[in-house]
Amino acid sequence: MGPLAALTPLLETRGIGKRFGGLEAVTGVDLRLARGEVRALIGPNGAGKTTLVGLISGRLAPTTGRVLFAGRDVTRLGAADRVRLGIVYTFQITSIYRRLTVADNVAVAVQRRRLRRLADWLAPDARGLAREVEAALGVVGLAGVAAEPAGALPYGHQRLLEIAMALALQPALLILDEPTQGLAAAEIDALCRLVRDVAAGATVLLIEHNMAVVLELAGRITVMDRGRIIAEGPPREIEANPEVQRAYLGQPSATSS
Amino acid sequence: MTLGLHLAVLAVLAALQLVLPPFHHGMVARVMVLAAYAIGYNLLLGYTGLMSLGHAIFFAAGMYGTGLTVHHGGFGVAAALVVGLAAALAVGAVVGVMTVRTAGPAFLIVTMMLAQAFYLATLHFNELTLGDQGFILPALEVTLAGRAFALADPAVKYNVALVVFGACLLASLGLVRSPVGRVLVALRENEERTRLLGYHTGRYRVLAVALSGLVSGLAGATYTLLFSYVGSTFAGVLYSIYPLLWTLLGGAGTTLGPLVGTLLMTYAIDVTSGITDAYLVIVGAALVLTILWAPAGVVGGLRARWARWLP
Amino acid sequence: MPVTLGPHLLLALLEGVVGALVLALTALGLSLVFGVMRIVNVAHGAFFMLGAVVTWYVSSATGSFLLALVAAPLAVGGIAVVADRLVLRRIGYEPESTIVATIGLLYILEQLVLMTYGPYARPVAAPIYFRIDFGWFGYSGYKLVVAAAAAFLLVAAWLALSRTTLGLYLRATQQDREIAQAFAVPVGRVYSLAFGVGGGLAALAGALIVPVQQAHYLMGLDALLLSFVVVILGGLGSLTGTVVAALVVGLADGAVSVLFSPTLAKIVATLLVGVVLAVRGRGLFGEELA
């Protein structure tokens, strides 16, 4: 990695926008994520956060603008190709294979990364796969329930499984969409530790409503309201920003209308 | 244990030919070929989660590909079989590509329409296909290790059927336990999740339809070689509904379900047709009763209760 | 050429219009069931066939075609309601299970007719008989009456859907099942009603066509496939689209059948639908089928 690569942001959106019929969900957003940072994306409900990460992960096609990843224009790539480049998304509403075992859930993710050449597919290394699955489950503390059907796990464990699947892909950019939603206090602490560990090797974009979690994890915060970015900066600055306070109190903000 | 069970099933089928009376000997041979067809269907319904109502297009592609080249081109067994398989694979790939953007009922209706168009084509081009009436193939033989075997000989028929069925059964077992099989099951369970793990889900769907078409076509080609007949009946709606029924009754998403379902249903139809001309009423009744009372099918029910390890 | 093509075109047009209107009536039932219940009813063609067979029974027993025209939709609608209660409701209208169940229903009905009515194609005398002379050929006046009756019934069905409380219930359930339920629409009964009315419409179309086509236990398949073609091209659940598509398909079918061959017409229609659904995943107008 030369000096130039270090300067290029890992992810950049340029004037990205998405319109659903008459509704403009995201308008002209320029977002830049540096390598290795943990960025929180906050804003009131309906601000366009999930739509924005949908555009980044490729689940949605933008109406305007471009997405660049590691300096490469990925706007026209589908979701699967972006995952292969390292943009990994975890769903806001837990999305796992409920009828498969916990181990099989992770195995689907692990094998995608392991089996790159045709030869790997024809003579798969089952032992190596099983070892990696076990390791991935160990990281999130689910090794003990590997043989259970995923749908039978308690909710908090399903969230952890979802994160284990994401980690198994070894993401360069991990997008977490409200990971602490519905978790108990102890589970939230465990999740925060996990995200800090992940951040040692990857860039993290975190959509989160729990401000304690945001302040603990994020180096910078981006605030969205009505489809636009209204503020960006370190946590202290954002907390003091009057416009952000207005947006959260639900008063009409200066930039809109 | 799993592989052992499957080999044991094949061994039982092989041993049965020594004890079965002639009528049942012929029936079981036919059941094995049709069960291979159901195995092809099950790859799609059971392991990929796509319900087709047009599988007769693949069975018939194999049948016509093989039968027409024997009838008009004078091809031998091996060459005709290759043509039949190529035809089925090609039709499977085309149907797979055409349906890649459809889901649920839309997939079902598109497959039904394409199969119906194929069926009507077999009627329309009746100078080539002899339409409804069909045609009978000449006596064929295969040469193995310098010896010629007549396909009309019941023992040869039975063993060819057994080999084809065994190959399909073991191939399906291998597939569902392979990484590709794992992706197909993932597709069945949650397509969006699978895409966001980095899989090109569209390509896997095309692959699944093409493989399913290939196996179904192999069954069609074998059927025509063993029973020496080609006719548009085999391209009709009923031959798309049969594999659905066989698979559901035996257990969709189980490797042994297709054999069990085909065996039960073929005998049920045989008994019913001795009683009434309207024997297809048993098909209707079986469909309704299965979906109401045993949606997991026979083998699926066994797996849920006693044998979680069954593939 | 014009000397021979002229009459052929006129005949194609006439056959097309008659076919289109009867088809619209049949497809309307299928579209209603899909729109309200979100299910694909594969037994729809069997209801069409039953309508024709009941008409043969009633009109040969009583000598009254008009009575048969009333009895057929009522009887078949009743059978549909029973099927809904006994089978479809129990599987919770899960889309693929419902398709399997209605395929089963199709075979049960068809084979029961084969057992009782037999494998014959039997005619029913048209209630009115006159021929209209077009110079080149005479044309059955009854066919034109059928077309007029089908058109009248289509308008009546549209009025019933847009002006009556029942119609309101149906449309409300079609829009949003849960909200309809919250507004005290008896959704369970509305489902039975929709399935019954859908079956009744198919039966009515079957009854109207008997004097022209004869009643036979296998006549349902073509009706089913063409209804699928129409409902998909018209957009699933869109009633206007269904009628427009029926006219287009009916006229095209009439034209290709007369000028080339009926089989070729059906090949073209089925391929067309396959391609339309494959490309758009929905009809030309209307909603996604998924």
Side-chain angles (χ1 to χ4, degrees):
Chain A
M1 194 185 289
L4 264 179
L7 291 176
T8 328
L10 179 69
L11 177 88
E12 187 177 0
T13 68
R14 289 189 188 157
I16 199 128
K18 178 69 182 177
R19 177 190 285 277
F20 295 106
L23 175 79
E24 225 168 312
V26 169
T27 312
V29 165
D30 297 310
L31 180 75
R32 291 161 72 94
L33 297 185
R35 282 172 207 276
E37 75 167 307
V38 177
R39 175 74 63 91
L41 183 60
I42 66 169
N45 283 325
K49 305 180 299 283
T50 294
T51 305
L52 177 61
V53 296
L55 296 169
I56 294 170
S57 65
R59 292 181 73 202
L60 300 170
T63 322
T64 59
R66 295 197 293 149
V67 181
L68 282 83
F69 186 72
R72 175 179 169 191
D73 191 331
V74 297
T75 315
R76 305 192 67 84
L77 285 188
D81 285 314
R82 294 194 203 184
V83 174
R84 284 162 176 259
L85 289 178
I87 306 179
V88 172
Y89 174 79
T90 67
F91 288 79
Q92 180 177 11
I93 297 160
T94 311
S95 180
I96 52 176
Y97 304 110
R98 305 184 61 84
R99 298 199 300 172
L100 304 189
T101 65
V102 170
D104 275 337
N105 269 267
V106 178
V108 180
V110 172
Q111 77 165 32
R112 214 282 290 126
R113 189 171 42 72
R114 286 176 62 93
L115 307 179
R116 289 231 167 234
R117 289 186 311 269
L118 186 64
D120 301 333
W121 287 92
L122 294 178
D125 169 15
R127 286 233 180 83
L129 180 81
R131 256 199 316 276
E132 260 199 72
V133 168
E134 209 180 305
L137 286 174
V139 169
V140 297
L142 289 179
V145 291
E148 300 284 317
L153 295 185
Y155 180 75
H157 287 182
Q158 293 188 12
R159 298 286 318 176
L160 286 176
L161 174 58
E162 169 118 20
I163 290 171
M165 289 162 79
L167 295 183
L169 296 171
Q170 297 186 348
L173 168 62
L174 176 64
I175 302 172
L176 295 164
D177 198 346
E178 301 200 15
T180 66
Q181 197 184 38
L183 294 191
E187 291 172 324
I188 291 179
D189 288 343
L191 189 99
C192 285
R193 276 195 298 279
L194 189 59
V195 173
R196 259 201 305 274
D197 290 345
V198 173
T203 307
V204 177
L205 177 60
L206 172 73
I207 297 182
E208 186 54 67
H209 279 302
N210 183 332
M211 282 312 284
V213 172
V214 169
L215 293 174
E216 184 178 338
L217 292 175
R220 286 174 76 80
I221 298 177
T222 299
V223 189
M224 282 187 80
D225 186 30
R226 301 175 201 215
R228 293 169 193 278
I229 291 180
I230 59 167
E232 193 173 301
R236 297 282 156 251
E237 219 173 88
I238 292 297
E239 269 189 306
N241 186 320
E243 204 177 329
V244 173
Q245 289 168 355
R246 265 200 303 278
Y248 268 92
L249 290 172
Q251 288 163 357
S253 84
T255 51
S256 70
S257 85
Chain B
M1 175 151 75
T2 337
L3 182 63
L5 174 71
H6 288 73
L7 291 175
V9 167
L10 292 177
V12 168
L13 284 171
L16 271 179
Q17 63 182 310
L18 304 174
V19 295
L20 284 176
F23 172 75
H24 294 284
H25 186 275
M27 275 285 269
V28 173
R30 210 172 139 251
V31 164
M32 286 190 288
V33 179
L34 295 176
Y37 180 21
I39 286 174
Y41 187 86
N42 190 32
L43 285 182
L44 211 52
L45 176 67
Y47 291 103
T48 318
L50 292 169
M51 190 185 275
S52 145
L53 252 192
H55 250 55
I57 196 174
F58 307 128
F59 190 78
M63 176 174 262
Y64 276 98
T66 301
L68 286 177
T69 43
V70 171
H71 188 71
H72 294 292
F75 279 36
V77 170
L81 186 64
V82 168
V83 175
L85 291 182
L89 187 62
V91 172
V94 169
V95 172
V97 169
M98 282 190 71
T99 54
V100 76
R101 294 179 53 180
T102 61
F107 177 81
L108 188 135
I109 293 177
V110 174
T111 49
M112 179 167 118
M113 290 296 170
L114 294 176
Q116 187 64 17
F118 189 93
Y119 166 70
L120 291 168
T122 63
L123 295 179
H124 187 71
F125 299 102
N126 66 350
E127 281 153 29
L128 190 67
T129 64
L130 297 167
D132 237 351
Q133 206 184 349
F135 54 88
I136 309 240
L137 295 183
L140 294 166
E141 30 184 59
V142 282
T143 316
L144 205 66
R147 265 186 71 195
F149 296 91
L151 290 180
D153 174 1
V156 174
K157 216 173 267 205
Y158 192 98
N159 286 296
V160 170
L162 178 64
V163 166
V164 169
F165 170 75
C168 291
L169 181 70
L170 295 179
S172 80
L173 178 66
L175 180 75
V176 305
R177 299 211 290 184
S178 76
V180 177
R182 182 178 275 134
V183 179
L184 296 185
V185 168
L187 221 56
R188 174 189 80 192
E189 295 294 314
N190 189 339
E191 185 164 346
E192 172 80 349
R193 169 79 268 182
T194 309
R195 176 164 39 247
L196 283 162
L197 290 177
Y199 291 101
H200 294 110
T201 50
R203 292 178 204 170
Y204 282 94
R205 274 186 56 162
V206 175
L207 177 73
V209 177
L211 281 180
S212 175
L214 180 66
V215 174
S216 305
L218 171 60
T222 309
Y223 195 97
T224 211
L225 289 172
L226 294 187
F227 303 100
S228 307
Y229 173 73
V230 178
S232 54
T233 321
F234 292 99
V237 174
L238 185 59
Y239 271 83
S240 288
I241 288 169
Y242 273 144
L244 166 67
L245 172 58
W246 297 328
T247 305
L248 277 179
L249 180 64
T254 64
T255 46
L256 289 169
L259 174 67
V260 174
T262 311
L263 193 65
L264 287 176
M265 220 43 235
T266 308
Y267 271 93
I269 285 180
D270 183 61
V271 171
T272 321
S273 64
I275 301 167
T276 167
D277 284 339
Y279 60 91
L280 288 178
V281 75
I282 192 91
V283 169
L287 282 167
V288 171
L289 294 177
T290 305
I291 213 73
L292 271 179
W293 308 114
V298 175
V299 181
L302 289 177
R303 172 163 67 186
R305 280 194 191 77
W306 293 295
R308 288 270 298 274
W309 51 270
L310 275 177
Chain C
M1 277 308 281
V3 185
T4 53
L5 197 59
H8 273 106
L9 274 181
L10 181 62
L11 183 62
L13 187 71
L14 282 169
E15 289 284 295
V17 169
V18 175
L21 286 163
V22 175
L23 180 56
L25 199 60
T26 317
L28 184 65
L30 190 66
S31 182
L32 180 77
V33 166
F34 176 80
V36 174
M37 305 166 73
R38 293 276 174 261
I39 60 167
V40 176
N41 176 21
V42 185
H44 197 67
F47 291 154
F48 174 87
M49 176 274 295
L50 269 185
V53 169
V54 171
T55 303
W56 181 84
Y57 272 117
V58 173
S59 63
S60 32
T62 66
S64 165
F65 181 73
L66 277 181
L67 183 65
L69 215 49
V70 176
L74 287 179
V76 175
I79 291 171
V81 169
V82 171
D84 173 66
R85 295 278 161 114
L86 284 185
V87 181
L88 302 190
R89 179 173 295 188
R90 292 195 191 188
I91 53 177
Y93 304 102
E94 198 279 314
E96 292 188 341
S97 304
T98 302
I99 286 168
V100 173
T102 54
I103 296 172
L105 190 60
L106 151 74
Y107 275 96
I108 292 174
L109 293 176
E110 209 177 83
Q111 298 293 313
L112 287 178
V113 169
L114 174 61
M115 277 183 208
T116 51
Y117 173 89
Y120 318 104
R122 297 194 238 218
V124 170
I128 27 183
Y129 182 82
F130 61 96
R131 291 187 82 74
I132 299 172
D133 194 9
F134 282 100
W136 302 291
F137 58 88
Y139 196 71
S140 154
Y142 177 72
K143 281 195 184 177
L144 297 180
V145 173
V146 167
F152 169 77
L153 288 166
L154 283 172
V155 173
W158 179 75
L159 283 176
L161 280 174
S162 56
R163 300 288 155 83
T164 65
T165 315
L166 278 180
L168 179 67
Y169 280 180
L170 289 173
R171 281 181 293 129
T173 311
Q174 169 159 6
Q175 289 289 323
D176 191 318
R177 183 193 161 143
E178 261 130 48
I179 291 181
Q181 207 149 24
F183 279 93
V185 172
V187 168
R189 256 180 263 169
V190 168
Y191 272 31
S192 294
L193 179 80
F195 205 64
V197 171
L201 284 170
L204 199 52
L208 277 175
I209 208 74
V210 181
V212 182
Q213 261 197 4
Q214 306 191 330
H216 184 256
Y217 82 104
L218 290 175
M219 71 193 289
L221 183 62
D222 274 356
L224 174 73
L225 288 167
L226 277 178
S227 298
F228 269 143
V229 170
V230 163
V231 171
I232 287 162
L233 291 180
L236 285 146
S238 154
L239 298 189
T240 333
T242 301
V243 173
V244 173
L247 289 172
V248 172
V249 170
L251 283 171
D253 185 55
V256 180
S257 297
V258 170
L259 298 176
F260 300 98
S261 96
T263 314
L264 193 63
K266 289 202 197 81
I267 294 178
V268 171
T270 44
L271 274 182
L272 186 67
V273 163
V275 171
V276 164
L277 258 188
V279 173
R280 284 177 58 95
R282 66 180 111 166
L284 294 179
F285 21 140
E287 42 203 309
E288 199 86 17
L289 173 63

